[in-house]
Amino acid sequence: MTTKIVLVGKTGQGKSTLGNFLLGRKEFRSEVSLASVTGEAKKAEGQLCDLPVSIVDMPGLMDAYGAKEDILNDKEGLEELAKGVKFASENDGGEDGVDVILYTIKMTERFSRDHALIFRYFEEQGEQFWGHVIVMFTHAGRISSDEEEQNKFLSNEKKKERCPEALKKLLEKASDNLVIVESENYNEAYRERKIREIVTHIKTIRSGNKSRYSTDMMRKTANNPKFDIIGAITGYIRSIEVSCFPGDARVILPSRKEKLMRDLRVGDKILCINSNARKLEFSEVIAFLHYQPNHCAQYLVINTKQGPTITVSSNHLIFTAKSEPSSLKAQPILAGEIKEGDSLIICDHQNQSITSEVTKVQTVEKQGVYAPLTRSGVIVVDGVMASCYASFHSHDLAHVAFAPLRLYSSIS
């Protein structure tokens, strides 16, 4: 039976190079670049000693600048893992899932917040997930050509007083399934020895698991109390004031037709501007955080010089612009803190993102309370860029908090 392997990790950790090392040929694109090289998942077949293997090279988790700009980012890491598990099983006809997940980390790179966030995502997947993981520390040759020194390097990092807590936990969790490898500059004798070492870990993992790691396991993880999606959402909604858009607010569909908020449904795709305020795209509505058609609420009406006027709750996040239109930077702010003279990010008649100065802010009462949640976490309402979140001062933290819901919707 073919062993299914998925390569995961942050962009630039050497996943593609590792895949080529395993296969003994250049199958996956790999090069030195400031941007992501792997824009979409790719699968290749090969042989590791006596094991037939199918290897999936995934786009980098937390990749904000890849071929699919702003889709593969830190808030959607779990969704990308689900896609990898699905892709590995396509056209197989056998059991759903993967046998081994190679979690790739570059030894020469500082263990940053991004690394810690990915580890936290993976940690929440539970012991079933970790029972299928081999942690691969790459670029070992840049530390030392001596393998003993490479091992000492990791051991010493763990002992350092300022060693990140997430890295300590990772090294402890992966102590039995950890491989240090130089996959760029090596001779064939080294490769053969490392392949044997990796195959030993793979066989240990396969013998210790009754089944592959599947999307069904991911669903069960998403439904257990530790990973309680519905509870998290309910708690979030109960902890904040009603914060939404009225029923007559307008969104834009891929056909470029407008749709009233009261008519919007889960599954609709609507216009948004990505978090870097550079690109217009369409994102799926995956849930409503508030949906009260008959409720009346107080809203702010924020007028702009270029024309768009957004009606929104005072504690809802919208985006101000911090620079010129040629290089916009979106800064989330509570709508109630907006004042005349601030610049909002809007969508003009040519479907470009530009800035527009706020000319007037007033209060009205309107019917309907709607808070659609898109997969991207961003939405264009009444022509103005807004967040899907409220009360949090940080759009990014709120988006991370809803990662389980995006995972659940992607595999349901």
Side-chain angles (χ1 to χ4, degrees), residues 120-344:
R120 194 174 76 208
Y121 279 155
F122 289 168
E123 190 177 33
E124 288 173 344
Q125 286 292 291
E127 292 308 312
Q128 280 189 315
F129 170 80
W130 285 98
H132 292 80
V133 172
I134 302 174
V135 177
M136 305 292 296
F137 280 93
T138 65
H139 299 79
R142 300 184 188 182
I143 299 297
S144 172
S145 59
D146 187 297
E147 292 182 54
E148 188 175 336
E149 289 299 317
Q150 295 168 4
N151 289 319
K152 283 182 181 179
F153 176 82
L154 278 185
S155 178
N156 291 336
E157 285 296 304
K158 184 179 176 181
K159 294 174 184 176
K160 287 182 179 178
E161 186 177 339
R162 297 185 65 181
C163 178
E165 194 61 34
L167 178 56
K168 289 180 181 178
K169 286 184 178 180
L170 170 62
L171 292 173
E172 289 170 5
K173 192 173 282 287
S175 59
D176 293 331
N177 278 315
L178 185 153
V179 176
I180 297 172
V181 64
E182 171 51 58
S183 52
E184 285 185 315
N185 301 303
Y186 57 87
N187 57 46
E188 193 55 30
Y190 172 85
R191 178 181 171 274
E192 289 177 0
R193 183 159 44 81
K194 279 295 171 181
I195 292 296
R196 288 196 297 271
E197 180 184 348
I198 293 166
V199 166
T200 298
H201 284 288
I202 290 173
K203 288 183 175 180
T204 300
I205 284 175
R206 288 193 60 171
S207 65
N209 290 303
K210 295 180 180 179
S211 61
R212 289 173 169 169
Y213 184 70
S214 64
T215 51
D216 184 57
M217 289 182 182
M218 297 179 82
R219 288 190 189 98
K220 289 176 181 177
T221 301
N223 283 321
N224 73 31
K226 185 180 176 183
F227 212 65
D228 184 5
I229 296 169
I230 303 302
I233 294 171
T234 304
Y236 171 80
I237 292 172
R238 287 174 178 171
S239 70
I240 62 175
E241 306 166 46
V242 172
S243 179
C244 314
F245 305 100
D248 61 357
R250 295 163 295 115
V251 295
I252 300 174
L253 305 175
S255 64
R256 300 296 174 177
K257 291 183 179 179
E258 292 185 345
K259 193 169 192 176
L260 294 177
M261 192 68 71
R262 67 171 72 100
D263 298 324
L264 194 60
R265 297 292 180 267
V266 170
D268 286 344
K269 287 191 174 182
I270 55 178
L271 185 68
C272 65
I273 302 174
N274 67 29
S275 57
N276 289 321
R278 292 197 302 262
K279 183 181 177 184
L280 297 175
E281 53 195 26
F282 291 90
S283 187
E284 179 189 3
V285 177
I286 60 173
F288 279 86
L289 303 182
H290 285 294
Y291 192 93
Q292 298 172 281
N294 299 318
H295 186 81
C296 288
Q298 292 284 327
Y299 290 101
L300 295 178
V301 179
I302 304 174
N303 299 81
T304 69
K305 194 172 184 179
Q306 301 291 111
T309 298
I310 186 171
T311 304
V312 60
S313 300
S314 62
N315 61 331
H316 203 97
L317 286 171
I318 60 176
F319 292 93
T320 58
K322 303 303 288 184
S323 57
E324 294 301 313
S326 60
S327 57
L328 294 183
K329 182 179 179 182
Q331 180 69 42
I333 185 174
L334 296 178
E337 297 175 3
I338 294 289
K339 58 186 182 300
E340 292 181 17
D342 287 343
S343 290
L344 302 185

